[in-house]
Amino acid sequence: MGGQQSATDLTAIEDVLRRQWLLLRRWMGQLGTLTARMPSVLQGWTVEDLVAHLGRAMDALAIAQPAPAGTIPLSLAEYLSTYQRTAHQTADQTTELAASIRRDPLRAVDGMAEAAFAQLLVLKSLGPDPVVEGRRGPILLSEMLITRLIELVVHGDDLVRSTALAGPRPLDEEAVRLVAEALLEVAVDRGGWDVQIVSPLAWIRLACGRVPFDVDAVAASLEPTYTSDSLPDLGSVLPLL
């Protein structure tokens, strides 16, 4: 996803983001009060915390503003590298938000999503792919949308694995592909390897620390681009988030 994106690219990513949000939001409509209070697969987080965090992920787009002319954006890898430094702060803010919207969490996250897409229209009017100021620094709008997709896909998968709700997994196939490719770009940026994805969802879970790192997990998600090569040791860079 690196480099300047065209307006067509930006529109395509926006379409996937909207589709992924609606798919996940419909699925979240099945969550009841008892389910929401259950612990999630993320240590220290409940299901309602995950719902609140998805709303907060969309809110990050709602509060994004145009960057001053000449601002150099962070790369996707640089932007994502800030996540680990603020993990405890993010967890605290998510818990506070979950408590504040507990009476009607889905209505609250709906409002956050509506504000996000309204602000996206404003930001798109600035140019083909403007630099915007996000919570973590300046970034191309297209890559800001990719970071929102990462949040929706990764935490949407967390939600599914935290509940026993029936029905298909609420993850858009194109969204999963884009997220997997973006995370691979970050890993390659940090390690310089030449690998390709075998299973997008398996790679996302490994890259984001949702499954333990071991040789079998790597082999189930990635393969060397050239058959004469072996898989690299990614232990020094994983998890990415």
Side-chain angles (χ1 to χ4, degrees), residues 184 188 193-198 215 218-234:
L184 183 62
V188 170
W193 303 296
D194 200 347
V195 293
Q196 57 191 18
I197 299 166
V198 174
V215 173
V218 175
S221 58
L222 299 174
E223 64 183 7
T225 300
Y226 304 103
T227 55
S228 58
D229 294 341
S230 59
L231 278 170
D233 179 7
L234 282 76

Side-chain angles (χ1 to χ4, degrees), residues 79-189:
Y79 197 85
L80 294 181
S81 70
T82 67
Y83 281 36
Q84 291 184 343
R85 297 198 300 269
T86 59
H88 290 297
Q89 179 183 357
T90 298
D92 290 343
Q93 291 171 342
T94 295
T95 301
E96 292 171 3
L97 176 61
S100 70
I101 65 174
R102 184 167 289 154
R103 294 185 64 180
D104 199 347
L106 294 183
R107 181 178 180 182
V109 299
D110 283 345
M112 296 175 199
E114 289 171 7
F117 288 119
Q119 181 64 1
L120 177 55
L121 291 177
V122 174
L123 297 173
K124 284 176 61 182
S125 70
L126 301 173
D129 193 6
V131 179
V132 300
E133 286 287 352
R135 279 194 180 124
R136 302 172 183 278
I139 188 171
L140 289 171
L141 180 56
S142 60
E143 297 201 328
M144 166 60 84
L145 298 190
I146 291 293
T147 68
R148 299 311 88 199
L149 267 179
I150 290 172
E151 295 280 354
L152 297 190
V153 169
V154 172
H155 290 302
D157 185 46
D158 289 337
L159 267 176
V160 172
R161 294 185 298 115
S162 300
T163 67
L165 298 180
R169 187 177 298 275
L171 299 180
D172 179 81
E173 183 177 348
E174 182 69 3
V176 171
R177 183 187 67 80
L178 286 174
V179 168
E181 290 177 353
L183 293 174
L184 183 62
E185 178 182 320
V186 173
V188 170
D189 182 70

